[in-house]
Structure formats: C-alpha cells, structure tokens
Amino acid sequence: MGERFVVVPVDGGVRVAGEGEHWDAVVADPASYTGGGGGSSDSSSGTAEVKEAGEDSVFEPEDPNALVPILEYNREPNKYGDGVPKENSPFINNTDNDKGNSYDGTNMALFEEEMDSNPMVSSLLNKLANYTNLTQGAQEHEEAEEDEGPKKKAVKSPQMGTFMGVYLPCLQNILGVILFLRLTWIVGTAGILESLAIVCLCCSCTMLTAISMSAIATNGVVPAGGSYYMISRSLGPEFGGAVGLCFYLGTTFAGSMYILGTIEILLTYIVPKAAIFVAEKKEDEPDALLNNMRVYGTCCLALMAVVVFVGVKYVNKLALVFLACVILSILAIYAGVIKTIFEPPDFPVCMLGNRTLQNHNFDSCLKTEIIQNVTVTTKLWKLFCDGPEFNATCDEYFANNNVTSVQGIPGLTSGVISENMWSVYGPLKMLVENKKLPSAGGSDPAQDIYMPYVVNDITTFFTLLVGIYFPSVTGIMAGSNRSGDLRDAQKSIPIGTILAIATTSFIYVTCVVLFGACIEGVLLRDKFGDSVKGNLVIGTLSWPSPWVIVIGSFFSCCGAGLQSLTGAPRLLQAIARDGIVPFLQVFGHGKANGEPTWALLLTAGICEIGILIASLDAVAPILSMFFLMCYLFVNLACAVQTLLRTPNWRPRFKYYHWALSFLGMSLCLALMFISSWYYAIVAMAIAGCIYKYIEYRGAEKEWGDGIRGLSLNAARYALIRLEEAPPHTKNWRPQLLVLLNLDSDQGVKHPRMLSLTTQLKAGKGLTIVGNVLEGTYLTKEAEAKKAEQNIKSSMSAERTKGFCHVVVSSNLRDGFSHLIQSAGLGGMKHNTVLMAWPGTWRQSNDPQSWKNFIETVRETTAAHQALLVAKNVDSFPTNQDRLEEGTIDVWWVVHDGGMLMLLPFLLRQHKVWRKCKMRIFTVAQMDDNSIQMKKDLQMFLYHLRLDAEVEVVEMHDNDISAFTYEKTLVMEQRSQMLKQMQLSRTEREREAQLIHDRNTASHAAINDKAETGPDRVHMTWTKDKLFTERNRNREGNSNVAVRDLFNMKPNQSNVRRMHTAVKLNEVVVNKSQEAHLVLLNMPGPPGNRGGDENYMEFLEVLLEGLNRVLLVRGGGREVITIYS
C-alpha cells in the first residue's frame, strides 16, 4: 500500500510550491492526504512534488501560461504513516483518539467527505472481527491485583465448546434436589401415569422455551447477561425490567430451595442427632423439623454468602466436582435398578394390618419374639401398649391386626408396576396404607396421630405436585448465561440446551417408570424414608450403597445453592446498571474488582425469607412462578418478533415457529395457574407493578424491542381502520394543531398555549405542536432540530402529550399552509387549529404578520377545520393554577356546529377550570321573542346534558353613532396612509433599480458594436433630468395623497361592520368583564383581500377591554349531539 497520488503543478518550466502553499483546485485540505492529523507530522506536508514539464501529463492546458495542478501516481513508500488507511468509525468501538484521524487513500476519493460517518467496509469488518465478548462478571482479588502491574494480562479469547460450555452446565442446573428428595414421593402419590403427565407437561414447556430461546440467542451476539438481556432487548425496558426482576427472584428463591434441600439431607439422612429442636411427642415432630431447618438454613446461607463474597473463583472451580456428584448419583440409580433384576436389596417395610409403620425405634417387625424359649414382647409392643406385659392395655387396631414385613424394593421383575400406576392423593395426616393387605377395624382416628404410623405431612393433589416438580426442569438458561465464554455461542446454545433438555427429560421419564416398577407403593409415598430406618428412599435403590446418593445429593445441593448465590447478585447488578429501575441503582455498585457486594446482601436477605418458610414443598411453587413467568416472556418475545417479521429478525436457528412459541407461552401460563393460582396472581401483580413503575418513571432506553414493533403494527392497523369513515359526532373531539411562535433563540414564546392545550385535551386525543422556520432545510437543519428539542421540552414541562412538527419553508405563509394540509397521518389528522392572536400587528412595520394570520384563517376554513384564536394568551392560567369560583362565558352569536358548547365542557374536566360555572349568552334582535329564545336554549342545553346559566341579550337597531363613524374614518385613513407609505417605498426601490439598469446598459453599449434594432429602447434621459422629474412627481403625488386623506368619506359597509363590533363589544364587556374566560364566535375574513386590514381592526374593536378571550370558528360540521 505504498502507492499514492501527489499533486504536481505544471507550467513552462520547473516550479516548486512555496512553503505552506497548496493547490486549492485539487486539495482542499492537505491534512486529508496525510497519514497524521493536521499535516504537521512531516515538513513536506502541504507542499507539492516537482515534475519536469517535458513528461506526460493528464491533460494539456489550453493556456500554456496557466498553472494547472495535476495528479501523478507515485509508487514511493508512504512517508506519512504505515500505509494503512485510517478510517474513523463513529458507531463501533469509537474512541476520542480516533477523532483526529482522516481518510488516507485515493481509491475511494469520491467518498472521502463521507468517511467520518460512513467508514469503509474493510475497516468495519476489521473492527467487527476483533470484537470480543467477555463475561460481564467480577474479577477475582488476585486477578485485580495482577492487573495493577505495568503489564496487564492478555485477554484470552473464549474457547468453550458446546459440551463444556452449554451441555454440562445445563445438566448440572436441571438435575438436582427435586430428583433426589421428591421424585419418588411424587411417583408414589400421583402414580406412574400422572407422574409421566407432570414430567411431560413440564419438559414440553422447557423444550418449547428452549426452541424460542435458541431463536433469540442466535439472532445476533448475546452478551453475558443471558435471559435477562434477551428478554429486555426483545420486549423493551418495561418488560425487561419486570421479567428480569422476576428471574432474579426465581434464582434467589432457588438458592433458598437448594439450601433447604441441603439441610434436609443433613438432618434427616446424614446426622439426625445434630438436631437442636427435638420433639418429645410425635405430633410436634413437623414443627421441630421446621425450626431446625430455619436455624441450620440461616447458618448455611451465611456460610455460603461468605464463600461467594470471598472468592467466586473457588465456586466455579468446584462446579465440576458438584457435577460429577450428580452424574455419579444418577449412574448409581441405574446400576441399582439393573441389580434389582438379579438380587433385590433387603429393605423390609413393617406393616400393621395395611398401615405402614415408622421403623426408628424397633429392630424386629414382630409383636412378640422367642428368646431362650421364652416368649417376650418386642419394642414394637411397647409403642402401642402401656407396658411390656401381655395383659397390658394396647391400641385396639394393634390388637386386631397382625404385623407383616413387606419387601420395600421387590425388584424390576416383581410386577409391582401395576400397583403403582394410579394416584393415591389424600389430606394432611392421612395414613400411608397398602390396600391389598388385610385390615381389621377398631382404630380411633383421634389416637392414630400419636402412633408411629407413616402419614402425609401435607395435603396432596395433582396441581400441588406440578408446582413442586417444576423446579427440577428449570436451569435451561445456564448455557445462554455463559454466552460470553463460548467459542461459537450461536451454534452451541441451541444444540447444547436442547440436548441437555432431551437428556434430562429421558432421565426423568425413565426414573418415573423405573421407580414405579422397582419400589413398593407404600415406600414411594414415604417422603422421608421413615419406614426404612430413615434412609433416603432413592438411596435404598442405588448401588453399591445408599450413601452414594446421600453424599452425592448433598454436594449437588450445596453446589446449586452456591451457583444461585453467585448468579443472582450479578443478574441484579446487570439490571441496576441498565438504569431502568431507578431505586435499584445502588445495587449496581460493588467492590473495586466489580464484585456485586450490595446485590449479594439483598440476595441473602431475600434468600433468608425462603429459609424462614422452611418447607421445601412450600418454596418450590414460589420459584416455579417466577421461572414460568420468565419462560412465558421468552416465548412471547420469539412469537412477537416472528409475527412482526422485523427486518432484524434473522436467527441462525431455523427450527422455530411462532405457533410453537405461542404454545410454549400458553403452557407456561397454564402451569402457573395449575401450580398455584394465588402465587400466580401475586407474581403477575409484582411484574405488573414493576412494569408500570418503569413506564411511569420513563425508561429512556431504546433497544429496538419487539413491543415497539408491535405498537407500530397496531398503530398502522388502527390508522387504516380510522380512514375507512369519518368519526361520528358522538366521537368527535378537538384534535389540535397548535401553531407556536418561537423567539430568535428558538425558544417557545407563549408556553401558556401549551398549558391551554393540556387543559383542553386532558391527555386525550391528538395534539400536534407545529412551527415554521423561514429559509431552506439545508441551511436551517440545525435550527429546526433545536426548535424541535425546545418545543418538546416545553411540552414536557406543560405535560402536553402529543407530537412536534417543525417545518422549514421559503416563507411563513406557505409553511403554515403545508402544516394545515399535511400534519397528521391517515385518519389521525387534526380537525382544529389553535393559534395566538397577533397582539402587536399594529406596531409591526411588516404587514406580512397580520396577512399571514388572515391567510391561515382562510386556509382552515377551506380545509373545513375549526379554528381557536387565543387573545392575551400569556394571561391564561398555568396547569398549577386553580381558578376560584368564577364563570366561563360563551357568547353564542351564530351557530358553528356546537364548538362553543363543547369547549367549556372539556375545559371544566381539568382541575384548573373545575370550579368555574358555565354561562351562555345569545343575542336577540328586535323582532325576536327573547323569552321563548331563553326557554328553547335551556331545553337545548338540557338535552345536551350541559349545566349552564342562560341569558338572552337584546341588541336594538340604534342609529350609528358619531363615535362609530369617526372610528371607521380613522381606520380607513390609517389604511390609506400605510398604502401610500408602502407605495413610496416601492417607488424608491424601483428608481434605484432603474439607475442600475441604465448604468449596466451604458457599459454594454460600449462593447457592443452591432446595429441597434428597430425594437431597441434608447435611454435618452440624463441623470439631472431624471432627478428633476422624480422630485416633481413625488411632490405632486404627496400633495394629492394628503388632500385625498382629508377629503375621503368612509365606506358604508365598513361603517356597518364597525357599528356591529362596537355594539357587541359594549354588551360583552358589560356582562363578561369579570369572567375567567370569554368564548366568542369569530367573524370570517372578507372575500375581498383589499379589506384584510379593516378586518383586523374590526376584531381588535370587538375584543377591546376583555382579558382572556378565545375566538372560535367552527369547521362546518356538527360536533355535539343530543342523542346517546
């Protein structure tokens, strides 16, 4: 890349450009042709190369003396840099250091002016290829210290594949506490068939979710943040925040569940004697167990939190050990099942009649036994009788029934599968019985609870079991959460996640069938293994020893708990750093190395709530709700994106369909209400509150989410529907186009216009705030943007909900016309224009201001739009004002479709005007029956359902007063004088142009030797003659004009109009001077444009002496109706 073009000046000989000289014809800026910025890196910058005149050139100049710079292709190495073009890419990995760099190449010189905003493709691809997506996790203390050295460690690129990066983490997260502690009990209670239904239902839900997740995860780069990132960027900040927090709460409660599982294994199966609370009576055992769980669980949580705080590195390193425990435990189960075919393990279950006995306090399943030829009672006897003697008083059921021993694990070939097919649900304290065994009556249910029977510790039913089982299929997000560590995330996440779900689903289905085929039903329903001396039920099946499962499940639960306490704070930190939930921002901070300390404390606090609940069966449905809600929105995100066919929706994973996503979403919703309808409502209420909070606080995030696309589609559909027919009178409301005036700094001149708009609309309907800038868009673009920003700020301050539209036009007149014609879209167009009265029109030297006003009035009339003109708009109340009791006076002179009636009603809906009463005045002429008019008007208002006082004002046909005559005369004289002034100004301009044309013609005549044609006009005036004639004409004209002004008589039509304005003004001022607001019919402009200035005078006289006035002009249609 050493070749470059250089600029060569060509003249008769050799010439070297002087120092600092450059050739503007070719190079506008010498710095743009150097490798460095500013051209200061080399002394030859900005100078031209030397070229001999005799060499070939690009073109031959016409004038040999002219100096023409040309381009020469030089293969010399680039002296100004390394030969690599430096493009600036402002939208990818841009830094401040790049801003001085400019384009250093000529192959694309045609595009060099656009290089700052549009980088070359080679540069873009290079920066994309070097993009590294590292996990947004915490550094360890050791790593942070090492990084402080002079040389930082080189960042390793992600190297994990599908198996290690996705498959195994998902496997570890999915398989866990429920499999080891509750699956046998679920199979025994629900039966094989219903258990398979539960498993299939939950696994189908996660499989469908995984398909949707795979589509989202392969639609572009997924940074670390996993499911929260996917949902928030697909469905927007409101849904993202709500679902992100639900996912966080689910992960936190999952930590509680794993800790409770750990303590349950510890206290029930490993060291039962470690219990602090010991029940003296059997009925107190559940409470004692819960209290032990609370104490040990809190200690375990504190220990785990310290481990996570001290070093996450150790948790990650132990993850493989925990995974090995899970896999070894599952292999031990399958090995045990195979062994039962040849040699079933010996775990007898003692039955009294058909009831299962707790086998803790006796060794032999006998009432009596023979020791040294002597028959003695056993320990079992003492449990049911009040003494060891044969004549002791015993429990009636114990006396009537025999004790039998049943093999707890009869084996795969025993045929027990047929007995375990069906469900056995029951209430709390229900005895676990084998209905096939004989049983004699005589039991006392009140006393049974004190006997050592195995009983249900909770009421069981199908939906409860769904809620308890569902956490065993969660964890499918583990792969997507590690997306930053994967070599090829878009390939690994779908394959690894779906394979992991398929594997775990196979394990669960086979376990359900094998448990039902190998284990006796009463042992399956024995949740804590009381009938087999407190052994873990699933452990009795395993080979070579029950301890393999016990120890394996213990470490598995420990590892899962640590993983939850590690992941949840980072998720909360990611949400907090996004800034969408303001009150969570404190949790975005942490230690110097990024460790989320505050988030960890909050997580531990929420986790403690789950531990205080203390029951695994009660905590499981809670986290099921939050995970189901998360999965529901993943499916919704995929379905929305697919149905909208967003251009950016191009997943590499092709095996998805919106119907599958919709089915997954429906399944999630169904499972939420199946598991626990009240928890589902609470979870949805929490998500809804968070959603509304984020919406209320204004989530200023634009993530290109699907909900925005959905809104656009819905808006398009609604607009098309709106255009099918005009709105009915009942649906008519003012859709406002507000024409604002801006000052020289593009600030809003009359912010009270926006206050009035807010009060008139009360947040309903369409509001478009428009403004026109004079000029061309190319030169005024920056001003237009600034004006739009200022208007939006004012709208926000005045709480005006609507749109802003700034137009740049060659003149204001055309600009306002364009706004009135084209503002809005489809059926969502304005029907009313609101503008301010030009209060300074008399003082203005430029008549164009009031002419524009009148032309706007004509435009609205032609467009069949209503018009509202606010006089003294700066005196109108703000949105914070509360007007005390007063009146809104309506002067109904002519019928305009009902606008005058509707506007006060709308204003009184707002807090500012709520206490004001409405008064309606109408004008009666001489031949009108004013009493009947009042009755008719009252009846009309009654049918309109409007509360208002009615008054009819009589206006008599008085003779036109001298005052009115004089006022009209002054008006016409002033108008005539202004015309004369304008005429003289135009005349002066015309004279100057004439002199200029004469001089130009005389110069042209010298150079032009041709014969003057017969049609040519000769300039025969001398300069002196011209000035003499001009002065004579001016004096004569001015004298005539003055004489005409003093001798003129007013036009009779104008006199009549002025009379109406004066008389009506007198009446209105007399009645409504103290009113908070006066609404008045606005007369139309004259048909002849010559009377426009008189029209402004008439309106000024009409409004004289009134403070707040709203002139109203109807749009030519009825806007209010008496019908329902």
Side-chain angles (χ1 to χ4, degrees):
M1 297 297 292
E3 301 92 357
R4 60 193 180 89
F5 284 105
V6 293
V7 181
V8 179
V10 180
D11 59 7
V14 178
R15 179 180 172 194
V16 180
E19 187 178 349
E21 186 178 347
H22 60 273
W23 309 107
D24 290 333
V26 176
V27 184
D29 179 11
S32 64
Y33 282 84
T34 64
S40 59
S41 59
D42 195 289
S43 59
S44 58
S45 299
T47 64
E49 293 285 329
V50 181
K51 177 172 171 62
E52 295 295 327
E55 296 181 15
D56 295 334
S57 61
V58 176
F59 62 90
E60 192 68 35
E62 292 177 4
D63 185 358
N65 297 319
L67 184 63
V68 182
I70 65 169
L71 291 174
E72 178 195 16
Y73 191 68
N74 186 3
R75 294 187 173 272
E76 221 177 305
N78 189 349
K79 291 183 279 187
Y80 304 103
D82 54 8
V84 180
K86 295 177 175 60
E87 297 88 352
N88 184 21
S89 176
F91 56 91
I92 295 181
N93 298 344
N94 186 28
T95 63
D96 292 339
N97 297 331
D98 294 334
K99 289 179 183 174
N101 297 338
S102 55
Y103 177 61
D104 184 26
T106 47
N107 289 335
M108 293 290 170
L110 187 61
F111 301 98
E112 64 187 14
E113 291 184 1
E114 300 175 351
M115 285 299 167
D116 285 340
S117 58
N118 303 329
M120 286 188 66
V121 175
S122 58
S123 166
L124 179 65
L125 292 176
N126 184 42
K127 290 188 177 181
L128 283 176
N130 292 333
Y131 173 71
T132 56
N133 179 19
L134 299 176
T135 309
Q136 297 169 347
Q139 288 179 303
E140 286 308 311
H141 299 293
E142 297 85 358
E143 294 170 8
E145 287 165 10
E146 288 170 13
D147 283 355
E148 289 171 3
K151 273 193 172 184
K152 292 188 177 181
K153 293 198 296 187
V155 178
K156 293 180 180 177
S157 59
Q159 291 299 323
M160 298 182 82
T162 304
F163 186 74
M164 289 296 293
V166 181
Y167 182 75
L168 289 182
C170 282
L171 217 60
Q172 181 188 354
N173 278 265
I174 295 171
L175 299 170
V177 62
I178 301 295
L179 170 64
F180 300 122
L181 295 184
R182 291 292 182 270
L183 191 58
T184 52
W185 173 72
I186 289 172
V187 173
T189 306
I192 293 173
L193 293 179
E194 290 186 28
S195 298
L196 285 174
I198 292 171
V199 170
C200 291
L201 204 62
C202 296
C203 290
S204 301
C205 177
T206 53
M207 181 61 83
L208 291 169
T209 304
I211 291 170
S212 298
M213 187 190 74
S214 298
I216 296 172
T218 58
N219 187 51
V221 179
V222 178
S227 54
Y228 162 68
Y229 182 90
M230 289 190 294
I231 295 167
S232 61
R233 269 56 176 181
S234 295
L235 292 177
E238 294 89 357
F239 277 112
V243 181
L245 284 175
C246 283
F247 190 54
Y248 162 73
L249 291 172
T251 310
T252 306
F253 275 106
S256 300
M257 186 185 75
Y258 291 127
I259 291 171
L260 290 174
T262 304
I263 303 305
E264 185 177 309
I265 294 168
L266 181 71
L267 293 181
T268 310
Y269 306 114
I270 299 177
V271 279
K273 292 182 180 178
I276 298 172
F277 300 93
V278 180
E280 295 180 0
K281 299 178 183 177
K282 182 178 181 294
E283 61 269 23
D284 295 333
E285 285 178 3
D287 293 333
L289 177 64
L290 293 180
N291 288 330
N292 284 319
M293 299 278 273
R294 291 183 181 111
V295 173
Y296 278 99
T298 305
C299 296
C300 183
L301 172 63
L303 184 65
M304 286 185 174
V306 169
V307 170
V308 171
F309 179 78
V310 169
V312 183
K313 180 167 64 176
Y314 307 111
V315 177
N316 292 332
K317 285 179 178 177
L318 287 171
L320 209 58
V321 177
F322 299 139
L323 177 62
C325 292
V326 175
I327 294 172
L328 283 173
S329 301
I330 290 168
L331 291 176
I333 294 168
Y334 283 114
V337 169
I338 294 169
K339 184 174 177 290
T340 61
I341 300 172
F342 315 106
E343 185 187 345
D346 184 30
F347 284 98
V349 176
C350 192
M351 309 290 294
L352 175 62
N354 63 357
R355 298 178 181 180
T356 313
L357 296 176
Q358 292 184 354
N359 191 358
H360 289 297
N361 300 319
F362 59 91
D363 299 320
S364 57
C365 185
L366 296 167
K367 288 184 179 182
T368 60
E369 57 184 342
I370 299 171
I371 301 176
Q372 298 176 353
N373 294 326
V374 178
T375 303
V376 293
T377 57
T378 60
K379 290 182 180 179
L380 181 60
W381 180 282
K382 295 171 186 174
L383 294 173
F384 285 91
C385 302
D386 56 6
E389 301 84 12
F390 285 104
N391 60 354
T393 306
C394 295
D395 179 73
E396 187 179 354
Y397 188 83
F398 177 76
N400 293 343
N401 289 276
N402 294 324
V403 176
T404 54
S405 182
V406 176
Q407 189 55 256
I409 302 177
L412 196 61
T413 56
S414 64
V416 75
I417 188 171
S418 60
E419 299 173 14
N420 293 331
M421 280 289 180
W422 314 108
S423 60
V424 187
Y425 299 119
L428 176 68
K429 304 294 184 185
M430 187 188 85
L431 301 172
V432 176
E433 299 173 336
N434 185 342
K435 297 298 183 183
K436 289 196 173 182
L437 294 177
S439 172
S443 66
D444 181 8
Q447 294 299 315
D448 287 344
I449 59 172
Y450 302 107
M451 298 303 168
Y453 296 125
V454 177
V455 296
N456 282 355
D457 66 329
I458 57 173
T459 303
T460 54
F461 43 90
F462 178 80
T463 56
L464 172 79
L465 299 186
V466 173
I468 292 173
Y469 174 76
F470 188 80
S472 66
V473 296
T474 60
I476 62 172
M477 301 288 188
S480 63
N481 289 344
R482 294 165 177 256
S483 56
D485 303 324
L486 300 174
R487 191 183 303 117
D488 185 358
Q490 298 198 357
K491 178 183 174 185
S492 298
I493 289 175
I495 296 173
T497 306
I498 291 171
L499 275 179
I501 293 172
T503 306
T504 52
S505 300
F506 173 78
I507 290 171
Y508 284 131
V509 169
T510 53
C511 282
V512 166
V513 175
L514 293 175
F515 292 165
C518 294
I519 305 175
E520 179 64 44
V522 289
L523 181 56
L524 284 172
R525 295 197 296 281
D526 183 2
K527 185 186 286 185
F528 301 108
D530 290 325
S531 60
V532 284
K533 294 191 178 295
N535 275 303
L536 182 62
V537 175
I538 198 172
T540 60
L541 184 63
S542 64
W543 179 87
S545 165
W547 285 101
V548 175
I549 296 283
V550 173
I551 301 300
S553 59
F554 177 78
F555 282 113
S556 166
C557 291
C558 277
L562 283 169
Q563 293 282 0
S564 295
L565 285 178
T566 304
R570 277 159 183 71
L571 180 59
L572 182 63
Q573 189 180 42
I575 297 168
R577 284 181 173 174
D578 264 345
I580 57 173
V581 186
F583 68 81
L584 289 180
Q585 286 184 350
V586 66
F587 299 108
H589 308 298
K591 292 192 291 187
N593 63 353
E595 188 73 21
T597 313
W598 293 107
L600 179 62
L601 286 173
L602 180 66
T603 303
I606 297 172
C607 220
E608 179 63 19
I609 295 171
I611 286 165
L612 292 177
I613 294 172
S615 169
L616 189 71
D617 303 318
V619 172
I622 296 175
L623 68 105
S624 293
M625 288 306 117
F626 292 123
F627 276 120
L628 278 166
M629 185 161 286
C630 179
Y631 296 165
L632 184 149
F633 282 106
V634 169
N635 285 301
L636 175 63
C638 183
V640 165
Q641 300 273 33
T642 309
L643 287 172
L644 288 179
R645 295 186 179 88
T646 313
N648 191 50
W649 181 246
R650 303 184 298 275
R652 290 190 177 279
F653 180 77
K654 300 299 181 186
Y655 306 102
Y656 69 93
H657 192 270
W658 67 266
L660 291 176
S661 300
F662 189 77
L663 181 62
M665 186 178 71
S666 306
L667 203 52
C668 289
L669 191 63
L671 282 171
M672 284 176 70
F673 282 93
I674 285 172
S675 304
S676 174
W677 62 267
Y678 45 89
Y679 279 156
I681 291 172
V682 169
M684 293 171 83
I686 291 171
C689 289
I690 297 166
Y691 179 95
K692 293 307 290 182
Y693 174 76
I694 295 171
E695 187 181 55
Y696 171 72
R697 288 301 300 262
E700 296 176 1
K701 301 284 180 184
E702 177 49 65
W703 288 330
D705 52 88
I707 293 297
R708 189 174 178 80
L710 193 63
S711 302
L712 287 171
N713 261 25
R716 180 183 62 85
Y717 174 77
L719 286 171
I720 291 170
R721 286 289 305 275
L722 274 175
E723 206 167 19
E724 290 175 2
H728 191 273
T729 304
K730 289 186 287 186
N731 294 328
W732 195 95
R733 65 164 59 247
Q735 317 286 8
L736 290 180
L737 169 62
V738 185
L739 300 180
L740 276 188
N741 293 326
L742 302 182
D743 56 26
S744 56
D745 294 329
Q746 310 307 328
V748 176
K749 250 186 193 175
H750 306 296
R752 298 289 176 88
M753 284 278 283
L754 297 174
S755 304
L756 176 61
T757 305
T758 304
Q759 293 155 23
L760 197 58
K761 303 292 293 177
K764 304 291 190 298
L766 174 71
T767 301
I768 302 172
V769 180
N771 176 252
V772 177
L773 295 180
E774 203 165 1
T776 62
Y777 187 69
L778 292 178
T779 57
K780 295 278 187 176
E781 182 198 0
E783 286 183 40
K785 293 282 171 58
K786 183 182 177 184
E788 190 169 337
Q789 197 59 44
N790 291 344
I791 292 173
K792 283 181 178 176
S793 300
S794 297
M795 288 172 70
S796 177
E798 299 295 338
R799 296 183 181 177
T800 305
K801 295 180 180 178
F803 308 99
C804 175
H805 197 171
V806 176
V807 171
V808 181
S809 178
S810 56
N811 59 70
L812 296 177
R813 162 80 185 79
D814 290 346
F816 285 124
S817 176
H818 295 155
L819 270 177
I820 290 168
Q821 291 176 63
S822 62
L825 182 64
M828 200 67 174
K829 288 181 71 70
H830 62 278
N831 54 29
T832 306
V833 176
L834 172 63
M835 59 195 299
W837 171 258
T840 58
W841 70 273
R842 279 176 171 166
Q843 290 78 31
S844 175
N845 293 325
D846 184 12
Q848 203 59 44
S849 61
W850 54 264
K851 285 184 178 177
N852 285 341
F853 172 79
I854 296 175
E855 287 303 312
T856 305
V857 175
R858 288 195 174 101
E859 291 273 354
T860 55
T861 305
H864 302 291
Q865 293 172 2
L867 176 66
L868 309 177
V869 178
K871 188 199 174 192
N872 295 336
V873 70
D874 291 328
S875 70
F876 275 63
T878 66
N879 292 326
Q880 285 71 42
D881 293 338
R882 299 289 179 269
L883 296 178
E884 296 304 319
E885 291 187 6
T887 60
I888 300 175
D889 287 0
V890 177
W891 284 84
W892 193 17
V893 181
V894 294
H895 182 56
D896 58 354
M899 276 285 285
L900 281 168
M901 308 292 176
L902 191 61
L903 292 174
F905 170 77
L906 293 174
L907 280 173
R908 289 178 64 213
Q909 306 301 306
H910 198 274
K911 296 176 197 171
V912 173
W913 303 91
R914 191 161 290 161
K915 292 184 179 178
C916 297
K917 292 180 181 177
M918 180 175 161
R919 294 195 302 179
I920 296 183
F921 298 89
T922 190
V923 177
Q925 301 300 325
M926 277 297 293
D927 50 353
D928 291 331
N929 184 341
S930 56
I931 297 173
Q932 188 61 40
M933 276 180 70
K934 184 172 182 178
K935 286 182 180 177
D936 292 343
L937 185 54
Q938 285 172 335
M939 182 58 66
F940 181 58
L941 291 175
Y942 174 77
H943 286 306
L944 288 175
R945 290 92 62 205
L946 294 175
D947 295 323
E949 295 178 19
V950 173
E951 191 169 336
V952 177
V953 178
E954 295 181 353
M955 284 184 65
H956 304 293
D957 289 337
N958 297 339
D959 293 336
I960 295 171
S961 65
F963 170 76
T964 304
Y965 191 89
E966 184 69 24
K967 202 171 182 67
T968 311
L969 183 60
V970 169
M971 174 189 76
E972 292 190 354
Q973 285 176 346
R974 178 178 180 276
S975 178
Q976 193 65 28
M977 191 180 298
L978 285 171
K979 284 178 184 173
Q980 291 292 339
M981 289 168 63
Q982 184 68 22
L983 189 64
S984 63
R985 191 184 300 123
T986 309
E987 205 174 65
R988 285 198 300 273
E989 290 169 357
R990 194 176 296 147
E991 287 172 4
Q993 184 66 33
L994 184 62
I995 294 169
H996 176 266
D997 291 345
R998 181 174 175 277
N999 291 335
T1000 306
S1002 64
H1003 283 298
I1006 294 170
N1007 297 326
D1008 191 2
K1009 306 295 183 187
E1011 187 76 26
T1012 304
D1015 295 332
R1016 181 69 60 89
V1017 179
H1018 291 275
M1019 302 294 293
T1020 56
W1021 284 27
T1022 65
K1023 190 173 183 181
D1024 293 338
K1025 186 177 180 182
L1026 176 69
F1027 280 108
T1028 305
E1029 187 66 24
R1030 181 193 65 187
N1031 291 332
R1032 189 170 64 80
N1033 287 341
R1034 180 181 292 170
E1035 287 170 8
N1037 289 340
S1038 61
N1039 291 334
V1040 172
V1042 171
R1043 278 200 305 275
D1044 287 348
L1045 278 176
F1046 284 105
N1047 294 332
M1048 69 184 294
K1049 292 184 178 179
N1051 183 296
Q1052 287 304 310
S1053 173
N1054 287 341
V1055 171
R1056 287 199 310 275
R1057 287 189 173 89
M1058 182 64 78
H1059 175 70
T1060 304
V1062 169
K1063 295 301 292 179
L1064 191 55
N1065 173 259
E1066 285 177 5
V1067 173
V1068 173
V1069 170
N1070 182 39
K1071 295 283 185 181
S1072 301
Q1073 194 163 19
E1074 301 301 322
H1076 285 314
L1077 179 65
V1078 176
L1079 284 89
L1080 187 64
N1081 282 115
M1082 182 178 183
N1088 177 17
R1089 282 178 166 75
D1092 282 357
E1093 188 179 3
N1094 297 339
Y1095 172 69
M1096 294 296 289
E1097 284 285 357
F1098 295 146
L1099 290 181
E1100 196 71 65
V1101 170
L1102 181 62
L1103 304 177
E1104 195 173 352
L1106 296 171
N1107 184 18
R1108 297 182 191 132
V1109 183
L1110 197 60
L1111 287 173
V1112 180
R1113 187 162 172 74
R1117 62 160 293 168
E1118 292 292 334
V1119 300
I1120 195 165
T1121 177
I1122 63 173
Y1123 299 107
S1124 62

